[in-house]
Amino acid sequence: MVSPAIALAFLPFIVTLLIRYRHYLVLLYRAVLVAWLRDRLTGTSREQRAFQYVLAHAIPGDPHHILQTFDQWCYHCEHLSCVGPDKGRIVERVLLERAPLRVLELGTYCGYGTVLLAQGLPPGARLYTIEGDPRHAAVAEKVIRLAGFSEETVSTQQGGGWARCLPAPVTESDAAQVELIVGPSEEVIPCLREKHGLMNANLVFMDHWKRSYLRDLRLLESHQLLAEGATILADNVLFPGAPHFLQYAKTCGKYHCKVHRASLEYFRAIPDGIAELRYTGTH
């Protein structure tokens, strides 16, 4: 048994920790506890609930309004790990500067980042987006369609594969083409050239498992899927963080690296950032 005197002695320390890390506790509550409870009460996932909200409130065929509606949901209803509006502006600025024609996204999730990328691409560009969770991919497919982008889905399985191409909705001829590939990134990346026709990417956006960033970057290098001067954007490199990825990018001699500091999506008090790498191809 802990004596009352010892407990009281630790009380100021505990209160200080609660005050200092209160924003992280709120994040834990909203992102984990609330989602877990509502999943069980409603029988649907928060990703499906978010899509139903977007479907009810967003303007079909208007990518900007669809992203705004996602943001409203995340600010006022439940938390989703999308890139969000603040860091999204960093992505939009890089797209405007680079005007890439071949873009690879790792981590489609609900399709927020996919819509953000697709709406900022120049005419004739093609976006390949990879999602490892079929449930998330099913939501993303609907979001991409709702935003008005031509889309086809290719599903892959370990030890073989099967594909189903979905008929694309009617869109403007100069709109970006989006291909959603369902499967683990470490299995899909080696097949991008032969199975999906991606010779190399001008821009790569990483927003999947942070522990996979370094592995997948090396896979892109080894399969020569990075064009000369390619840009790699990696989200959440400060929180929850990708330290090994950042260390490699800064020390391997193949990249010019900088980190755009921002806040965590939908939590302005939690610091985060996007890493921007420029591939030089040198060793």
Side-chain angles (χ1 to χ4, degrees):
M1 291 290 293
V2 178
S3 70
I6 296 176
L8 287 173
F10 277 97
L11 184 59
F13 174 71
I14 294 173
V15 171
T16 301
L17 287 179
L18 290 176
I19 294 174
R20 177 174 295 181
Y21 296 105
R22 63 190 183 279
H23 302 293
Y24 297 90
L25 294 175
V26 173
L27 174 62
L28 176 66
Y29 170 75
R30 290 195 60 208
V32 179
L33 297 180
V34 171
W36 179 85
L37 181 61
R38 290 183 177 175
D39 285 355
R40 277 145 187 80
L41 290 177
T42 64
T44 61
S45 68
R46 62 179 163 181
E47 294 80 16
Q48 292 171 322
R49 293 192 295 273
F51 173 71
Q52 291 301 321
Y53 180 90
V54 170
L55 187 62
H57 295 89
I59 301 173
D62 186 336
H64 182 66
H65 193 260
I66 286 172
L67 295 179
Q68 284 186 325
T69 308
F70 260 116
D71 294 334
Q72 291 172 3
W73 165 269
C74 294
Y75 277 125
H76 304 296
C77 300
E78 298 180 58
H79 179 77
L80 289 176
S81 297
C82 307
V83 65
D86 295 335
K87 290 182 290 184
R89 283 188 283 272
I90 298 172
V91 175
E92 289 175 329
R93 185 171 68 247
V94 172
L95 289 174
L96 184 62
E97 293 172 354
R98 302 285 187 257
L101 291 176
R102 300 178 302 279
V103 178
L104 174 64
E105 179 186 29
L106 302 179
T108 316
Y109 192 40
C110 293
Y112 183 107
T114 310
V115 173
L116 177 70
L117 291 167
Q119 73 168 355
L121 293 179
R126 188 167 183 85
L127 168 59
Y128 303 80
T129 179
I130 300 173
E131 174 54 48
D133 190 328
R135 296 168 299 179
H136 295 164
V139 174
E141 175 191 319
K142 298 173 185 176
V143 170
I144 295 167
R145 284 180 176 275
L146 188 65
F149 294 106
S150 176
E151 185 267 345
E152 60 184 33
T153 299
V154 180
S155 301
T156 62
Q157 296 177 333
Q158 185 176 6
W162 52 276
R164 58 188 181 91
C165 295
L166 304 176
V170 177
T171 58
E172 297 181 7
S173 59
D174 61 353
Q177 300 292 302
V178 179
E179 182 175 343
L180 172 58
I181 306 170
V182 186
S185 58
E186 69 272 21
E187 297 179 13
V188 174
I189 288 174
C191 303
L192 283 173
R193 180 174 286 112
E194 292 184 1
K195 289 189 176 182
H196 305 284
L198 176 61
M199 302 308 295
N200 51 49
N202 305 121
L203 185 141
V204 178
F205 181 54
M206 294 184 168
D207 197 14
H208 56 324
W209 290 106
K210 315 314 163 192
R211 63 175 180 267
S212 301
Y213 280 11
L214 178 55
R215 179 201 66 196
D216 288 350
L217 181 63
R218 286 174 166 169
L219 275 175
L220 292 170
E221 293 172 357
S222 64
H223 288 84
Q224 299 179 341
L225 289 168
L226 296 175
E228 182 179 357
T231 298
I232 297 93
L233 295 175
D235 192 17
N236 302 122
V237 293
L238 299 183
F239 184 86
H244 299 297
F245 169 83
L246 283 179
Q247 182 182 19
Y248 176 79
K250 292 177 179 179
T251 60
C252 70
K254 301 176 183 178
Y255 303 95
H256 297 302
C257 178
K258 62 180 177 180
V259 176
H260 300 276
R261 294 186 177 272
S263 58
L264 183 68
E265 51 270 19
Y266 313 113
F267 279 87
R268 294 188 177 92
I270 299 179
D272 192 18
I274 286 185
E276 180 182 350
L277 282 57
R278 189 72 181 271
Y279 182 59
T280 63
T282 58
H283 296 273

